[in-house]
Amino acid sequence: MTAPSDPRAGWGLPGLGALPRTADLEPLVTRVLAPNPSPMTLDGTNTYVVGAPGSGQAVLVDPGPDDAAHLAAVEAALEARGARCVAVLVTHHHGDHAEAALPWGGRFGVPVAAGSGAVAGPGGRVLEPGERLALAGTAFGVVATPGHTADHLAFRLESGAVLVGDHVLGRGTSVVTHPEGDVVAYLESLRRVHDLGPGALYCGHGPELTEDPGAVLDFYLAHRAYREQQLLDALGTGAATVDELVATVYAEVPREVWPAAAQSTRATLDKLAAEGRVVLGNAEEVRPA
């Protein structure tokens, strides 16, 4: 099976570390990059300031880390838009997206809304898929995108762009965490976002994807199928544990991301076991069915 080709390779996207701290992506959206770069967060977490121009209001999506410098940059972006924050939305509970949600909600005196009560807090709102939120002179469609985590949501904007959190990354591919992640749900979510016909994907990490979002989603689906086949092939050549599978399948990937690769591998093996294609044993041993 041939590895699928990533359409982003020819798009001239900015290299790692080259994203500007603040960027206006469209009239509705300003992106503010948090200062938390790492192998898992790429350039850092993207916080989005969203609101209709002239409305005097904006929503913060994925405030990210509770960091003073990041807060100052977000407040500067609000000031530049002549807007006050009226709500905080969060795609999922991971700390690099959600840590600042409740502290900043308190600072701005606004509610937090997310897919789980733990993130939304006692005075917040748990969102339901299919809801349409009228906020800051515009509307946000709530899209269920479980898979990376069980509580993951995306937000579709009136412009046709979709704020996808960690469902899709601006570079590379997303991790389906284990044991909370679910590969079957993730694949269904990729198709769900594809069916929306997004005009752009505004990712939780990395650059915005505007040239052909559907092609990126197709690549993500093909990449998952390719990884499944790689695991099955590796089992056929003698690999018998998760660590051995990761060392074989991710041999060309930097070792610093192997722990994340192991999570995705375990999640994929759960899917293959449910389909009767592999048998999971003790001590993370695996064998073909």
Side-chain angles (χ1 to χ4, degrees):
M1 186 176 185
T2 304
S5 177
D6 188 340
R8 296 167 295 184
W11 289 5
L13 296 175
L16 185 64
L19 286 184
R21 185 63 177 275
T22 302
D24 293 325
L25 304 186
E26 60 170 90
L28 282 174
V29 183
T30 299
R31 183 189 64 223
V32 183
L33 178 64
N36 62 334
S38 75
M40 292 303 297
T41 61
L42 306 180
D43 309 73
T45 299
N46 292 326
T47 295
Y48 294 97
V49 182
V50 185
S55 68
Q57 300 180 349
V59 173
L60 301 184
V61 179
D62 281 354
D66 188 13
D67 176 89
H70 186 42
L71 174 61
V74 168
E75 290 182 328
L78 287 166
E79 183 177 0
R81 296 180 68 92
R84 62 181 178 86
C85 176
V86 295
V88 174
L89 304 182
V90 185
T91 58
H92 65 296
H93 71 270
H94 284 167
D96 58 314
H97 294 256
E99 181 185 66
L102 292 178
W104 291 13
R107 177 181 179 84
F108 294 117
V110 301
V112 176
S116 73
V119 176
R125 176 177 175 182
V126 177
L127 297 172
E128 296 293 335
E131 284 191 74
R132 185 173 174 84
L133 309 175
L135 295 165
T138 186
F140 298 74
V142 180
V143 183
T145 50
H148 174 72
T149 63
D151 66 334
H152 202 290
L153 299 172
F155 301 103
R156 188 183 192 188
L157 306 181
E158 290 185 311
S159 65
V162 181
L163 304 172
V164 287
D166 279 356
H167 187 59
V168 178
L169 304 181
R171 302 185 186 88
T173 54
S174 185
V175 174
V176 177
T177 57
H178 186 273
E180 67 175 337
D182 184 320
V183 171
V184 173
Y186 183 69
L187 296 174
E188 292 173 349
S189 296
L190 287 171
R191 297 184 186 101
R192 184 175 300 115
V193 174
H194 194 294
D195 289 346
L196 295 175
L201 299 175
Y202 296 153
C203 308
H205 306 281
E208 64 276 12
L209 304 175
T210 60
E211 187 167 329
D212 191 347
V216 177
L217 293 164
D218 286 335
F219 164 71
Y220 263 53
L221 288 163
H223 172 78
R224 283 287 161 187
Y226 177 66
R227 285 291 190 230
E228 286 186 14
Q229 190 58 53
Q230 283 185 300
L231 291 173
L232 293 170
D233 290 346
L235 286 171
T237 58
T241 68
V242 170
D243 286 345
E244 290 171 352
L245 289 168
V246 170
T248 301
V249 172
Y250 293 88
E252 303 302 318
V253 175
R255 282 179 174 263
E256 60 191 358
V257 300
W258 279 17
Q263 287 198 50
S264 276
T265 296
R266 291 185 184 97
T268 301
L269 290 172
D270 281 351
K271 173 182 181 291
L272 294 174
E275 294 170 347
R277 301 167 73 186
V278 303
V279 176
L280 304 181
N282 296 325
E284 298 204 320
E285 294 179 351
V286 190
R287 62 178 175 82

